[in-house]
């Protein structure tokens, strides 16, 4: 993994780096340098869409200036408060999976938006440092909630409760929630189900990442446009400093300066509920929890300074020394003492007697797709009653297809609810066709018969296009032994929509395209050798292929490039090679003069 240069030692050096970075981002997105609030434009928050209003404290540290301590990365206590666990650019494994999954789903759901996963990651980095320090789990949930300040006005917006405390636990005022800090009313409009569990939960990073993509892509934005990109990020937070930080992280991730780190590396969480907006909060002090809650510190058993601890009383010489009690029988309870408390470190035996399958036993999808079904079982006791609180382990058996749960894990644990049902995350099929079982077992109960779900992964059908056409300028006639000065791009579509993955070949043919020729225009293969049949590869995500440079040999005449797809679509590109016409030269022979 590439690591960015270490933090500049002097303040002047930091100021210079900041100015250069801001200038580069300004040029990239066409915005002015950072200031407190953005100008009024169509990215300004509306009453029904308060996300852009001040709703918490983002982490505005820039990639090349963020404090880091690579030597302590991954060690308990290593790194600096709020940083990613690797010291700067690391993304927890589950967070990275969530960002990439969101971009993949958005490419299908919102194909005109062109949102990169690195932009979603930039939002996640600035809002919560990828949920670092909050106990991110492989299913996308966190052990501790991530909550912004109560939005009671003042330095933050005033937003009265809109979700009855469902997401933020506050029935009086709203609070931004989750890894990408959604305001509940905004989540109501932009919320999404990123992990396929049927629930849109802003506290789950898979859902939050896809919801972020939906929000940024609103109003038919195309994020390939620098203007739309600028408006999208401003709509999330009306601050130029915020735009600068998000885009700086996006560019960093796009440049390859990123690595994955485990979800559970110890790190101090970024607290979005800090007191000073726009400033990086300090490490939470003892007695506080991320999100502004409080904890109770247990009383110390040590004596207070300045106070004397009473010494044990000595037996009186006038009183007989009491005899010790007889040694208790370890097999009988002591009637003079209360029953011992259960040891919390020892697991309580599960009353589960059997597991009952819920839903279909056989699943099927194609390579690279998410199964519609999810593994679900009900835990029952000997009387057939549902057991709540039992831990069920779901495991993908075997490595043949490369299938994983969303998040990349092959083994996850879920707890049964009041109805005794536990459900696994969605399963993503791998790149290889085949079969595998997904097995459900009860944790710590080897005697309970496992339940298997049998999954089949089929090869994805080959893409099909019903039309290919030329995009770009025509090829003008060239002289022999010259390169053709034209750009040839082929567009594949079906029903008017671009189709990716269409394979094509180009063959140099006669003027009417009916037969291949052995002389005339040519391509060069990877070894620089002349070839007249060239494998063009497959169309990209926009359904396009750009032809490589091609050349004329010493022959003149009319030719074609015959473009053919694997499913039989044909397109002819006309070429003409002409010799340069000679210009008549004036006669230099002296004229005869008649003699006198």
């Amino acid at each position: 993994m590439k690591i960015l240069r270490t933090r500049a030692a002097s303040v002047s050096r930091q100021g210079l780096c900041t100015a250069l970075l801001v200038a580069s981002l300004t040029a990239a997105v066409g915005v002015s340098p950072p200031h407190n609030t953005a100008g009024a434009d169509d990215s300004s928050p509306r009453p029904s869409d308060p996300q852009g209003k001040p709703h918490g404290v983002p982490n505005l540290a820039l990639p090349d200036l963020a404090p880091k301590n690579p030597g302590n990365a991954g060690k308990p206590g290593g790194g600096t408060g709020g940083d990613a666990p690797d010291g700067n650019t690391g993304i927890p494994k589950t967070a990275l999976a969530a960002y990439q999954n969101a971009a993949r789903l958005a490419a299908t759901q919102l194909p005109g938006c062109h949102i990169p996963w690195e932009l979603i990651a930039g939002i996640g980095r600035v809002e919560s440092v990828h949920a670092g320090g909050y106990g991110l789990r492989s299913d996308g949930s966190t052990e501790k909630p991530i909550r912004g300040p109560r939005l009671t006005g003042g330095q933050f917006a005033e937003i009265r409760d809109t979700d009855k405390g469902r997401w933020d636990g506050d029935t009086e005022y709203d609070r931004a929630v989750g890894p990408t800090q959604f305001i509940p009313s905004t989540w109501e409009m932009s919320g999404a189900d990123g992990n396929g569990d049927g629930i849109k939960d802003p506290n789950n990073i898979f859902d939050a990442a896809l919801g972020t993509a939906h929000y940024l892509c609103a109003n038919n934005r195309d994020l390939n446009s620098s203007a739309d990109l600028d408006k999208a990020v401003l709509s999330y937070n009306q601050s130029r400093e915020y735009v600068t930080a998000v885009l700086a992280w996006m560019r960093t991730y796009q440049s390859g300066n990123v690595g994955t780190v485990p979800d559970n590396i110890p790190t101090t969480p970024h607290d979005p509920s800090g007191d000073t907006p726009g400033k990086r909060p300090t490490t939470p002090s003892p007695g506080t929890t991320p999100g502004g809650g409080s904890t109770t510190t247990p009383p110390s058993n040590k004596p207070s300074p300045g106070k004397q601890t009473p010494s044990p009383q000595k037996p009186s010489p006038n009183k007989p020394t009491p005899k010790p009690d007889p040694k208790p029988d370890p097999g009988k309870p002591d009637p003079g003492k209360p029953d011992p408390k259960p040891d919390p470190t020892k697991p309580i035996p599960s009353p589960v007697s059997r597991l009952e399958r819920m839903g279909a036993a056989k699943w099927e999808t194609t390579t690279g797709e998410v199964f519609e079904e999810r593994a679900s079982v009900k835990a029952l006791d000997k009387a057939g009653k549902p057991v709540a609180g039992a831990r069920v382990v779901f495991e993908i058996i075997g490595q043949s297809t490369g299938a994983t749960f969303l998040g990349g894990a092959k083994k996850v644990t879920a707890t049964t609810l009041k109805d005794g049902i536990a459900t696994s995350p969605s399963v993503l099929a791998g790149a290889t066709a085949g079969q595998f079982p997904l097995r459900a077992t009860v944790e710590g109960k080897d005697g309970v018969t496992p339940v298997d779900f049998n999954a089949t992964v089929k090869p994805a059908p080959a893409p099909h296009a019903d039309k290919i056409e030329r995009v770009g300028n025509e090829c003008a006639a060239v002289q022999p032994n010259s390169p053709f000065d034209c750009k040839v791009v082929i567009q594949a579509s079906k029903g008017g929509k671009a189709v990716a993955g269409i394979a094509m070949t180009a063959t140099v043919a006669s003027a009417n395209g009916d037969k291949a020729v052995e002389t005339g225009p040519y391509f060069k293969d990877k070894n620089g050798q002349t070839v007249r049949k060239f494998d063009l590869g497959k169309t990209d995500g926009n359904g396009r292929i750009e032809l490589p440079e091609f050349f004329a040999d010493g022959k003149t005449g009319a030719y074609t490039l015959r473009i053919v797809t694997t499913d039989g679509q044909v397109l002819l590109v006309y070429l003409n090679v002409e010799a340069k016409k000679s210009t008549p030269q004036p006669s230099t022979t002296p004229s005869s003069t008649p003699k006198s």
Side-chain angles (χ1 to χ4, degrees), residues 143-190:
E143 293 177 5
K144 296 178 287 186
I146 308 173
R147 292 175 181 166
R150 299 185 80 210
L151 299 176
T152 59
Q155 62 181 342
F156 302 113
E158 180 180 353
I159 304 177
R160 294 281 179 174
D161 175 62
T162 60
D163 67 338
K164 297 182 180 179
R166 178 186 182 188
W167 301 122
D168 56 13
D170 193 321
T171 57
E172 186 177 3
Y173 289 94
D174 272 348
R175 302 172 74 169
V177 295
T180 57
Q181 288 291 280
F182 267 100
I183 294 174
S185 58
T186 304
W187 182 255
E188 185 66 25
M189 295 185 294
S190 300

Side-chain angles (χ1 to χ4, degrees), residues 279-300:
K279 298 292 183 182
R280 184 184 180 120
T282 56
T283 303
S285 59
T288 62
T289 57
S294 63
T295 60
T296 302
T297 304
S300 172

Side-chain angles (χ1 to χ4, degrees), residues 92-95 98 130-131 134-145 203-206 263-264 391 406-407 409 412-413 415 425:
K93 182 179 178 182
T94 295
H130 312 304
Y134 287 91
L136 183 61
R137 304 185 182 104
S138 62
D139 66 357
S141 63
T142 57
E143 293 177 5
K144 296 178 287 186
N203 296 296
N204 185 290
I205 199 166
F206 284 97
D263 295 335
N264 59 352
R391 290 173 60 81
L406 287 181
V412 298
T413 302
T415 303

Side-chain angles (χ1 to χ4, degrees), residues 290-318:
S294 63
T295 60
T296 302
T297 304
S300 172
N301 292 324
K302 295 182 179 180
S304 301
K307 294 185 178 181
Q308 298 294 328
T309 304
S311 59
Q313 293 183 354
K314 295 180 180 180
S316 172
N318 298 325

Side-chain angles (χ1 to χ4, degrees), residues 357 359-365 371 373 435 452-456:
R357 181 188 294 108
K362 294 183 178 181
W363 304 356
E364 188 175 288
T365 192
F371 284 92
E373 302 87 354
Q435 295 181 328
D452 281 355
F453 298 83
N454 298 306
T456 300

